[in-house]
């Protein structure tokens, strides 16, 4: 059995995203700066729009972060922004329209709740049904394993062309489709960054193909990349 995006995929994949207007500098409706340094002299630099609660969970050695700014707690619309740390400042390196769980966000994710988990998670492993486009993360190419999650002709058939595993309730250093769930099945799992298909997901975050290729070619394990994700209210707390 293979689970992806938090639920067993029975004929249809669970993750997506379309275009729509977005503030290139960050989250919709927010004037997120393209660079951010320390909020106070001597304090650790914060990612734009991220409050003290989640900032404390970003590892000190992390120099790359994908921040997913959710429109609202109950919205599937979001924006994914790639930041890279230069010196003491986080600077914008890319921005894409995105989608998250179709029911929005949660701080207590469970299997089948159709909400994406709020939090800070490492990014260590990638893969897809297409061959490696030049990923710097460990990449597992398996056209059978990923393609088997959708039916032929399904509108989600290309969702898993490229995926990056979000390290929520999973083992690191294994393929994204690995079934192990250290916190138990009920806590969900199989939550990925992957190709967008125009609407909400079961728990994954989706971006356009161009964004996935950029992330795969840019995220560097030596820079300890993380994803910081949630609705705007939770992110800024």
């Amino acid at each position: 059995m293979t689970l992806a995006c938090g639920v067993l995929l029975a004929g249809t994949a669970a993750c997506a995203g379309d275009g729509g207007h977005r503030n290139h500098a960050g989250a919709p409706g927010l004037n997120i700066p393209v660079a951010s340094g320390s909020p106070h002299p001597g304090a650790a630099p914060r990612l734009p729009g991220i409050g003290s609660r989640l900032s404390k969970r970003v590892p000190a050695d992390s120099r790359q972060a994908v921040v997913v700014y959710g429109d609202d707690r109950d919205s599937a619309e979001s924006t994914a922004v790639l930041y890279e740390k230069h010196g003491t400042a986080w600077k914008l390196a890319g921005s894409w329209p995105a989608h998250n769980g179709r029911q929005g966000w949660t701080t207590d994710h469970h299997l089948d709740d159709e909400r994406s988990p709020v939090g800070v998670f490492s990014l260590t492993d990638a893969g897809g049904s297409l061959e490696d486009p030049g990923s710097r993360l460990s990449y597992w190419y398996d056209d059978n394993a990923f393609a088997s999650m959708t039916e032929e002709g399904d509108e989600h058939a290309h969702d898993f062309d490229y995926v990056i595993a979000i390290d929520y309730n999973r083992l690191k250093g294994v393929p994204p489709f690995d079934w192990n769930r250290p916190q138990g099945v009920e806590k969900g799992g199989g939550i990925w960054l992957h190709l967008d298909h125009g609407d909400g997901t079961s728990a994954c975050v989706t971006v356009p193909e161009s964004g996935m290729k950029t992330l795969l070619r840019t995220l560097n394990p030596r820079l300890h990349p993380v994803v910081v994700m949630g609705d705007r209210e939770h992110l800024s707390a």
Side-chain angles (χ1 to χ4, degrees):
M1 295 176 63
T2 301
L3 288 181
C5 307
V7 297
L8 180 63
L9 299 178
T12 59
C15 308
D18 70 345
H21 178 71
R22 290 291 184 273
N23 179 342
H24 177 75
L30 294 181
N31 185 23
I32 301 297
V34 297
S36 179
S38 301
H40 306 290
R46 291 184 186 174
L47 287 156
I50 305 302
S52 60
R53 183 175 60 85
L54 289 180
S55 291
K56 293 176 182 178
R57 295 173 56 185
V58 177
D61 58 358
S62 179
R63 305 192 69 81
Q64 291 180 320
V66 179
V67 181
V68 183
Y69 298 96
D71 281 13
D72 184 80
R73 182 182 182 276
D74 300 319
S75 172
E77 304 287 334
S78 54
T79 300
V81 182
L82 172 62
Y83 292 102
E84 295 186 317
K85 196 173 185 180
H86 298 271
T88 59
W90 288 99
K91 297 185 178 181
L92 184 146
S95 179
W96 305 273
H99 285 88
N100 49 268
R102 60 178 58 89
Q103 298 299 322
W105 298 90
T106 180
T107 57
D108 186 23
H109 175 67
H110 285 80
L111 184 68
D112 293 339
D113 66 8
E114 296 192 335
R115 290 180 179 271
S116 297
V118 175
V120 178
F121 310 101
S122 57
L123 300 171
T124 56
D125 304 289
S129 60
L130 297 182
E131 294 188 12
D132 186 352
S135 175
R136 305 178 93 175
L137 301 173
S138 297
Y139 190 92
W140 278 267
Y141 160 65
D142 192 325
D143 58 347
N144 182 60
F146 289 100
S148 66
M149 299 177 189
T150 60
E151 293 181 344
E152 185 176 355
D154 193 297
E155 64 178 345
H156 305 288
H158 294 286
D159 286 9
F160 309 132
D161 284 356
Y162 302 116
V163 308
I164 297 173
I166 293 172
D167 291 337
Y168 168 88
N169 196 20
R170 71 178 298 271
L171 299 177
K172 300 178 183 179
V174 298
F177 49 79
D178 182 85
W179 170 237
N180 286 287
R181 299 289 180 262
Q183 299 176 50
V185 174
E186 287 304 311
K187 290 295 290 182
I191 299 176
W192 303 341
L193 288 163
H194 70 73
L195 264 64
D196 185 80
H197 67 26
D199 54 21
T201 75
S202 286
C204 292
V205 173
T206 62
V207 299
E209 181 178 2
S210 61
M212 283 302 301
K213 287 183 176 180
T214 296
L215 292 174
L216 286 166
R217 294 166 178 167
T218 304
L219 295 177
N220 187 340
R222 294 184 178 181
L223 301 180
H224 308 286
V226 296
V227 59
V228 183
M229 50 194 270
D231 57 279
R232 290 177 290 182
E233 181 178 358
H234 278 109
L235 289 179
S236 63

